[in-house]
Amino acid sequence: MRISVIGCGYLGAVHAVSMAKLGHEVVGVDVDPVKIAALSRGEAPFFEPGLPEILSEALATGRIRFTTEIADVAGSEVHFLAVGTPQGADGAADLRYVDAAVAALLPHVGAGQLVVGKSTVPVGTAARLADDLAAAEPDATLVWNPEFLREGFAVQDTISPDRIVYGVPDGVEGERAVEVLDDVYAAALAAGTPRLVVDRATAELVKVSANAFLATKISFINAMAEIAEVTGADVTALADAIGLDARIGRRFLNAGLGFGGGCLPKDIRAFRARSIELGLPHTLDFLEDVDAVNLRRRDRLVDVATELLGGDVQGRRVAVLGLAFKPDSDDVRDSPALDIAARLRAAGAVVVAYDPEAVHTSQRVHPELTYAESAAEALGGADVVLVLTEWQEFRDLEPAAVGALVAAKAIVDGRNCLDPQAWRQAGFTYRGMGR
Ligand code: UGA
């Protein structure tokens, strides 16, 4: 099929390349010429395992090209909208990129074609865009098809998703849209991926409610970590025990520094803002608490680190291991790790930070921090070690080897990813989060 993907950021670039991998003819469009040039050269504009390989493969087949010319989408049977919806000033989603992309796209949409939204939007956006599309081309259809990819697993999640959701209009128009999308996703459907056909509002809500649920699950266990901290309980053992109840499940019950990234934090804020607009001022009040619990973990880590430094961070050397919001990513949007590094630096500590992939992205936001080229360099002479992102490289650190580099044997495990026993046996003061 001939497919266009508008927006070549995280979501769009991965989607475009994955569509080409599945055998479709793809044109990826973005307003950023630097991004388009990089993708055209076969360079992924961000770190994502597996993406460079399938990008080169797709370019070699000639099935994909990238352009800044929106007119090049003409003739595509399906146009995917994959632009960002960042957080606006008041917490609500900022739809300026969606609106601009749709305005640019509409003159090029032909009869019988589908416009398929993938961006995370406030419920009701699809209905509004459907009206705009109907005014421009009455024989085209607007569908919402949310994306559930996780950074670090983006390619796998796009090619083999755990479910596919189509939000379509009623009647024959909707049935036709389902047939077209079934062709787009033929490979995943043949592999048995569940496919749900719903109305557009439900499809928009599936996405935000899934992220709100995941954020709530993480903040729930982090609230238990707060309780564990004052009672001497171990939140990790608690999560293992409650997680064995199949109704609860162990996944997304890792207590630590909480959630960051370009999705969960902004999505819960936008969802709450939208519910207030919908005349439901209190329905999603709990998401405010979810946000507050999440942000308190960062305060807690700063307090523990300060305590280990004897109450004053001024002039003390702090080794920060991890800056990305999660491992296998160079993304530092709303990253708890980078936030903590910057806060300690602002309080007067000498912070030396290292991350296997996220130094260049961190440098852009916090040029004032000192960055190391290796974990060993960051650890040299440290008065306290903070593990803030659970990269495998940090899980594998040898306590004795670290002990030989640091000035003082004190470690804070912000992601509960280390073996406390092993570190204590090597003479370290070990502090986890709620354990
Ligand atoms: C999230 C969702 O998981 C995806 O399903 C969704 O498609 C995506 O947002 C999106 O909206 O595009 P992602 O932001 O890549 O994906 O990251 P997650 O794996 O959800 O992790 C989010 C944050 O939660 C990370 O900072 C992670 O460290 C933290 N987390 C995760 C915990 O603190 N504890 C856990 O148990 C799990």
Side-chain angles (χ1 to χ4, degrees), residues 254-309:
N254 293 323
L257 288 178
F259 56 83
C263 303
L264 265 44
K266 76 155 170 78
D267 286 354
I268 57 168
R269 294 167 196 155
F271 196 12
R272 181 151 185 276
R274 182 65 183 140
S275 77
I276 294 168
E277 276 173 16
L278 291 168
L280 300 168
H282 302 302
T283 303
L284 297 181
D285 277 356
F286 71 94
L287 290 180
E288 201 176 356
D289 284 333
V290 164
D291 206 358
V293 168
N294 192 54
L295 295 175
R296 278 207 299 273
R297 301 319 288 158
R298 305 176 187 187
D299 302 340
R300 170 73 186 165
L301 192 130
V302 169
D303 288 349
V304 172
T306 307
E307 188 192 316
L308 288 181
L309 289 169

